[in-house]
């Protein structure tokens, strides 16, 4: 599955797995670098999802604030 098609939850879970591998210290440097790069991409994807969710919530709040009061 391409990164663009990952849900927030899938990307976050993969990021957790990457961090666990890096924190274990049991992978060679070359693999650590590849994992770090993968983690950066996953973190950016998660942030995109979160930014989108925040924008949706902000828009809904603005609509509610602008609605005519009875």
């Amino acid at each position: 599955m391409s990164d663009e098609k990952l849900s927030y939850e899938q990307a976050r879970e993969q990021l957790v797995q990457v961090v666990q591998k890096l924190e274990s210290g049991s992978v060679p440097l070359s693999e650590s670098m590849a994992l770090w790069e993968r983690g950066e991409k996953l973190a950016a994807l998660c942030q995109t999802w979160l930014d989108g969710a925040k924008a949706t919530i902000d828009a809904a709040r603005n609509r509610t604030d602008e609605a005519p009061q009875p």
Side-chain angles (χ1 to χ4, degrees), residues 13-26 35:
E13 180 57 34
Q14 286 186 24
L15 181 56
V16 166
Q17 292 171 4
V18 166
V19 169
Q20 288 172 341
K21 285 180 185 177
L22 288 170
E23 287 180 341
S24 75
S26 63
L35 285 168

Side-chain angles (χ1 to χ4, degrees), residues 5-60:
K5 294 184 181 187
L6 290 176
S7 69
Y8 169 78
E9 292 79 7
Q10 291 168 323
R12 189 190 70 209
E13 180 57 34
Q14 286 186 24
L15 181 56
V16 166
Q17 292 171 4
V18 166
V19 169
Q20 288 172 341
K21 285 180 185 177
L22 288 170
E23 287 180 341
S24 75
S26 63
V27 292
L29 179 60
S30 60
E31 187 178 343
S32 292
M33 293 303 298
L35 285 168
W36 178 79
E37 289 176 5
R38 177 75 177 138
E40 286 290 322
K41 289 178 184 176
L42 290 166
L45 180 58
C46 287
Q47 190 61 54
T48 299
W49 273 105
L50 293 172
D51 291 345
K54 183 181 182 315
T56 299
I57 291 168
D58 289 344

